[in-house]
Amino acid sequence: MPFRRSRLPTVLGLVLCLCLLIACTPVQAPPRPGPTPVSDVHALDRFYDQQLSWGDCAPYATGAQSQDAFHTPGVECARLTVPLDYARPHGETITVGVLRHKASDPADRIGSLVMNPGGPGGSGMEAAAHLAPTVASTAIGLRFDLVGFDPRGVGASEPRVRCLTDAERDAERANHPGDGISPESAAAWTAEARDFTAKCVQRTEDGADLLANVGTRDVVKDLDILRAALGDKKLSYLGYSYGTQIGYSYAEAFPANVRVMLLDGAIDPTEDETHSLVAQGEGFAHAFGLFATECAKHAGCAVGQDPAKAVATFDNLTRPLLATPARAGGGRTLSYDDAMTSVVEAMYSQQSWPILNTGLNLLRAGDGSALLQLADSYYERGADGRYSSLQDAYYAVRCIDNPREQGPAAVTATHQRMLAAAPFLGGGRPDEGEPDICASWPVPSTSQPHRPFLPGVPPPLVISTVDDPATPYQAGVTLAGEMGGGLLTYEGAQHTAFLHGNQCVDVNGLAYLVDGTLPPPGTRCQV
């Protein structure tokens, strides 16, 4: 169960994921990830000068979810060509999938608004297609071409990161016993991680070459080429969750090319990976407490009428799954790990809490189907049994973006701290894959936590939600301060807030995107 950093507003039916809280000591910033110096200063001209050929989006669909999204009226798609390796601009090329919905008021058009929903590994094409009808009558739909792109290695972009087959992903979810932390379990996880990374290299076209160049460092270079291909002198950008990392990284690399940047559900650039994962555990544990408190107010609460006993009640309800998975229909069963994942999925929004309570009550009767549906949503498994590229791309980007854990002892210590931070996970393995898999990743990481260097960048608008389980509130405060931007506080219990339907948040966000006007300092929006 990876603690992802993504998820778009629930009203769009998209949910993605996570982030940080405890501050670490900032380290000196690495070189800005701008265009790679080459002897031929015009080596990238052919990419910047390309014209996009827009057409039907159907050929870009990679599964049932994207097929549905790409039937949205008015959307069109294209492929952007970029270098596989920016250090070798004359070498092999790859393509990035792009989708747009054109402004409905061309006479008053501002330009393109490029968005990313998070992840890493979330499909910006699907997100933009889902978002288009929601914003049709707003300033976004009227005055911007809404553009989403699938970052390199993701979704419709080619080649795509591929690690596990759909059947292997199902088996992995069903077979994890959730056996806690021990030397024996750590050794087993290490062996699984090595097998996973070997499959990623074998099954991904261009293998280690793509995996070495799939991180945020290269995504922001693709984004600048996309800006030019769209005909925009400066970039207007909307980033959710991990998309905020793309945003501030782009601002570091291309400070003169930023028009406006709305960053919702922020990632703290000074935070290291271990602190991030522990903070996420704390955030989800806090959200579980809020769920238990609200649930206790109603008859039929699956975790009881005493919130202080909710963790123990939940543990007694789910622990039998360690020995005997619950039937879930269609020949499938609910594993212990999937039950834990279903809770994490539900914590992204209060709107999912009643669904979780229903699922837990059904589990008490031996029916795991509702919880399995929540877990499937988290993993982006379609009804046809096909998974999106999110899972594989998530690890590929996270492992290339972050320094590695040093040795089995460090990995085990991280697991123990994560379990201590999230007691409701009990005997499970919270995000065990990330420290293990990244420790055995076949290519070196390319970045590290640092204070961003942002000379001359227009102040962004950062939106941070008080009880966001995935990207804790303080991360937004830190990012706004580091970037010299405005901070809009939303007093809610969900992940991200812009375009969820809160008028205060949306009015302030739209005003900023249109003319760069930041809300007054200290602005807070209520539920």
Side-chain angles (χ1 to χ4, degrees):
M1 175 182 55
F3 278 163
R4 295 194 305 277
R5 294 171 173 145
S6 57
R7 292 193 185 271
L8 223 55
T10 307
V11 294
L12 306 182
L14 303 172
V15 270
L16 300 124
C17 144
L18 302 64
C19 192
L20 356 80
L21 177 64
I22 304 172
C24 65
T25 302
V27 297
Q28 184 177 359
R32 292 188 295 112
T36 304
V38 292
S39 56
D40 179 1
V41 296
H42 299 294
L44 296 176
D45 284 355
R46 65 186 176 114
F47 300 104
Y48 274 91
D49 293 340
Q50 67 185 288
Q51 300 293 313
L52 296 176
S53 298
W54 298 99
D56 182 19
C57 289
Y60 294 77
T62 57
Q65 292 170 317
S66 55
Q67 286 173 357
D68 291 342
F70 295 168
H71 280 113
T72 301
V75 300
E76 53 187 354
C77 293
R79 293 197 180 279
L80 180 80
T81 301
V82 295
L84 169 61
D85 182 350
Y86 277 88
R88 296 180 291 171
H90 296 293
E92 187 175 350
T93 62
I94 59 176
T95 63
V96 171
V98 184
L99 177 146
R100 77 173 176 186
H101 188 281
K102 298 179 74 172
S104 59
D105 186 2
D108 207 21
R109 179 180 177 275
I110 294 172
S112 303
L113 176 64
V114 182
M115 67 163 301
N116 180 273
S123 169
M125 297 176 71
E126 289 183 31
H130 281 291
L131 187 60
T134 302
V135 301
S137 61
T138 71
I140 292 177
L142 295 170
R143 305 191 62 186
F144 289 96
D145 293 348
L146 181 63
V147 177
F149 70 102
D150 285 359
R152 53 174 55 209
V154 172
S157 294
E158 297 178 343
R160 185 171 128 179
V161 175
R162 297 180 185 273
C163 300
L164 298 186
T165 65
D166 296 330
E168 287 171 339
R169 184 71 67 189
D170 276 347
E172 178 190 56
R173 291 171 54 188
N175 295 334
H176 276 181
D179 50 4
I181 305 294
S182 70
E184 293 76 19
S185 63
W189 302 343
T190 299
E192 289 178 19
R194 288 174 178 166
D195 179 65
F196 178 85
T197 58
K199 288 175 178 175
C200 292
V201 175
Q202 294 165 3
R203 295 172 177 176
T204 297
E205 184 182 338
D206 294 319
D209 284 342
L210 181 66
L211 298 179
N213 293 282
V214 78
T216 307
R217 175 197 65 178
D218 297 291
V219 170
V220 299
K221 298 173 187 177
D222 299 342
L223 180 54
D224 197 56
I225 290 175
L226 174 59
R227 172 200 58 78
L230 292 170
D232 293 332
K233 183 177 180 181
K234 292 182 180 292
L235 175 71
S236 297
Y237 179 77
L238 169 60
Y240 292 93
S241 205
Y242 163 72
T244 69
Q245 182 175 329
I246 294 176
Y248 70 68
S249 299
Y250 179 89
E252 282 190 281
F254 305 98
N257 294 351
V258 176
R259 177 185 167 269
V260 292
M261 194 165 276
L262 194 158
L263 307 175
D264 185 4
I267 291 176
D268 180 349
T270 70
E271 186 98 61
D272 70 26
E273 190 66 8
T274 296
H275 285 108
S276 166
L277 293 171
V278 171
Q280 290 173 338
E282 291 174 341
F284 279 91
H286 177 67
F288 184 83
L290 295 176
F291 158 71
T293 299
E294 179 62 30
C295 183
K297 299 176 183 177
H298 308 281
C301 176
V303 292
Q305 263 58 55
D306 184 354
K309 298 179 180 178
V311 170
T313 302
F314 173 77
D315 189 57
N316 290 334
L317 178 60
T318 56
R319 189 164 288 275
L321 296 170
L322 289 168
T324 307
R327 57 182 175 79
R332 301 178 69 200
T333 57
L334 176 76
S335 67
Y336 181 86
D337 274 10
D338 269 349
M340 300 301 105
T341 300
S342 73
V343 177
V344 170
E345 167 70 10
M347 293 303 102
Y348 281 101
S349 172
Q350 280 186 269
Q351 296 179 32
S352 296
W353 291 359
I355 301 172
L356 173 62
N357 187 58
T358 298
L360 291 173
N361 278 320
L362 286 172
L363 177 62
R364 195 181 302 279
D367 181 355
S369 58
L371 294 184
L372 187 63
Q373 287 180 17
L374 282 171
D376 282 349
S377 176
Y378 187 89
Y379 287 113
E380 293 197 355
R381 183 190 192 271
D384 59 358
R386 296 173 63 186
Y387 288 83
S388 76
S389 63
L390 178 62
Q391 287 293 103
D392 293 341
Y394 170 86
Y395 289 117
V397 176
R398 294 282 275 168
C399 292
I400 200 70
D401 271 4
N402 297 287
R404 310 290 159 74
E405 294 278 11
Q406 299 299 312
V411 170
T412 299
T414 296
H415 291 328
Q416 291 170 335
R417 291 181 61 188
M418 291 162 63
L419 282 173
F424 76 90
L425 290 170
R429 298 194 287 168
D431 199 26
E432 86 291 340
E434 196 159 330
D436 296 306
I437 288 173
C438 291
S440 63
W441 204 244
V443 291
S445 59
T446 59
S447 187
Q448 61 184 356
H450 65 279
R451 299 190 64 180
F453 179 64
L454 301 162
V457 173
L461 174 59
V462 178
I463 301 176
S464 199
T465 300
V466 171
D467 287 318
D468 186 332
T471 50
Y473 176 72
Q474 184 58 41
V477 176
T478 299
L479 184 61
E482 291 289 344
M483 298 187 72
L487 175 68
L488 176 64
T489 296
Y490 177 57
E491 296 182 353
Q494 63 192 48
H495 182 46
T496 73
F498 185 55
L499 302 176
H500 275 270
N502 182 276
Q503 184 176 14
C504 172
V505 173
D506 293 349
V507 166
N508 281 285
L510 291 170
Y512 171 76
L513 290 174
V514 169
D515 56 25
T517 302
L518 292 169
T523 298
R524 303 179 76 88
C525 295
Q526 311 292 326
V527 176

